[in-house]
PDB file of all heavy atoms in Angstrom:
ATOM      1  N   ARG A  96       2.339  39.795  16.612  1.00  0.00           N
ATOM      2  CA  ARG A  96       3.340  40.792  16.209  1.00  0.00           C
ATOM      3  C   ARG A  96       3.660  40.748  14.709  1.00  0.00           C
ATOM      4  O   ARG A  96       4.684  41.259  14.282  1.00  0.00           O
ATOM      5  CB  ARG A  96       4.633  40.610  17.019  1.00  0.00           C
ATOM      6  CG  ARG A  96       4.458  40.882  18.495  1.00  0.00           C
ATOM      7  CD  ARG A  96       5.705  40.476  19.286  1.00  0.00           C
ATOM      8  NE  ARG A  96       6.859  41.241  18.885  1.00  0.00           N
ATOM      9  CZ  ARG A  96       7.217  42.396  19.418  1.00  0.00           C
ATOM     10  NH1 ARG A  96       6.503  42.938  20.385  1.00  0.00           N
ATOM     11  NH2 ARG A  96       8.296  43.037  18.998  1.00  0.00           N
ATOM     12  N   MET A  97       2.785  40.228  13.895  1.00  0.00           N
ATOM     13  CA  MET A  97       3.119  40.063  12.481  1.00  0.00           C
ATOM     14  C   MET A  97       3.472  41.383  11.812  1.00  0.00           C
ATOM     15  O   MET A  97       4.410  41.451  11.004  1.00  0.00           O
ATOM     16  CB  MET A  97       1.979  39.379  11.726  1.00  0.00           C
ATOM     17  CG  MET A  97       2.313  39.086  10.266  1.00  0.00           C
ATOM     18  SD  MET A  97       1.120  38.008   9.431  1.00  0.00           S
ATOM     19  CE  MET A  97       1.580  36.399  10.111  1.00  0.00           C
ATOM     20  N   PHE A  98       2.749  42.456  12.135  1.00  0.00           N
ATOM     21  CA  PHE A  98       3.008  43.748  11.489  1.00  0.00           C
ATOM     22  C   PHE A  98       3.373  44.839  12.494  1.00  0.00           C
ATOM     23  O   PHE A  98       3.278  46.027  12.164  1.00  0.00           O
ATOM     24  CB  PHE A  98       1.783  44.173  10.674  1.00  0.00           C
ATOM     25  CG  PHE A  98       1.442  43.231   9.554  1.00  0.00           C
ATOM     26  CD1 PHE A  98       0.380  42.345   9.677  1.00  0.00           C
ATOM     27  CD2 PHE A  98       2.202  43.199   8.400  1.00  0.00           C
ATOM     28  CE1 PHE A  98       0.075  41.451   8.665  1.00  0.00           C
ATOM     29  CE2 PHE A  98       1.912  42.305   7.375  1.00  0.00           C
ATOM     30  CZ  PHE A  98       0.836  41.426   7.509  1.00  0.00           C
ATOM     31  N   VAL A  99       3.780  44.469  13.670  1.00  0.00           N
ATOM     32  CA  VAL A  99       4.134  45.452  14.678  1.00  0.00           C
ATOM     33  C   VAL A  99       5.257  46.350  14.154  1.00  0.00           C
ATOM     34  O   VAL A  99       6.191  45.891  13.492  1.00  0.00           O
ATOM     35  CB  VAL A  99       4.551  44.774  16.005  1.00  0.00           C
ATOM     36  CG1 VAL A  99       5.856  44.031  15.878  1.00  0.00           C
ATOM     37  CG2 VAL A  99       4.617  45.786  17.148  1.00  0.00           C
ATOM     38  N   GLU A 100       5.107  47.652  14.359  1.00  0.00           N
ATOM     39  CA  GLU A 100       6.081  48.666  13.930  1.00  0.00           C
ATOM     40  C   GLU A 100       6.146  48.854  12.409  1.00  0.00           C
ATOM     41  O   GLU A 100       7.053  49.536  11.915  1.00  0.00           O
ATOM     42  CB  GLU A 100       7.487  48.349  14.453  1.00  0.00           C
ATOM     43  CG  GLU A 100       7.616  48.344  15.957  1.00  0.00           C
ATOM     44  CD  GLU A 100       7.554  49.734  16.584  1.00  0.00           C
ATOM     45  OE1 GLU A 100       7.529  50.719  15.825  1.00  0.00           O
ATOM     46  OE2 GLU A 100       7.515  49.809  17.819  1.00  0.00           O
ATOM     47  N   CYS A 101       5.208  48.287  11.641  1.00  0.00           N
ATOM     48  CA  CYS A 101       5.198  48.519  10.190  1.00  0.00           C
ATOM     49  C   CYS A 101       4.552  49.879   9.925  1.00  0.00           C
ATOM     50  O   CYS A 101       3.392  49.983   9.489  1.00  0.00           O
ATOM     51  CB  CYS A 101       4.435  47.406   9.478  1.00  0.00           C
ATOM     52  SG  CYS A 101       5.322  45.845   9.394  1.00  0.00           S
ATOM     53  N   MET A 123      -0.893  42.380  16.668  1.00  0.00           N
ATOM     54  CA  MET A 123      -0.736  42.159  15.225  1.00  0.00           C
ATOM     55  C   MET A 123      -0.465  43.442  14.457  1.00  0.00           C
ATOM     56  O   MET A 123       0.370  43.478  13.555  1.00  0.00           O
ATOM     57  CB  MET A 123      -1.977  41.461  14.677  1.00  0.00           C
ATOM     58  CG  MET A 123      -1.871  41.027  13.227  1.00  0.00           C
ATOM     59  SD  MET A 123      -3.332  40.065  12.748  1.00  0.00           S
ATOM     60  CE  MET A 123      -3.034  39.872  10.985  1.00  0.00           C
ATOM     61  N   THR A 127       1.207  50.601  14.062  1.00  0.00           N
ATOM     62  CA  THR A 127       1.096  50.894  12.627  1.00  0.00           C
ATOM     63  C   THR A 127       0.460  52.268  12.469  1.00  0.00           C
ATOM     64  O   THR A 127      -0.388  52.665  13.268  1.00  0.00           O
ATOM     65  CB  THR A 127       0.258  49.839  11.888  1.00  0.00           C
ATOM     66  OG1 THR A 127      -1.026  49.728  12.524  1.00  0.00           O
ATOM     67  CG2 THR A 127       0.952  48.489  11.906  1.00  0.00           C
TER      68      THR A 127
END
Side-chain angles (χ1 to χ4, degrees):
R96 295 171 62 89
M97 184 169 284
F98 298 103
V99 68
E100 297 288 354
C101 286
M123 187 174 173
T127 55

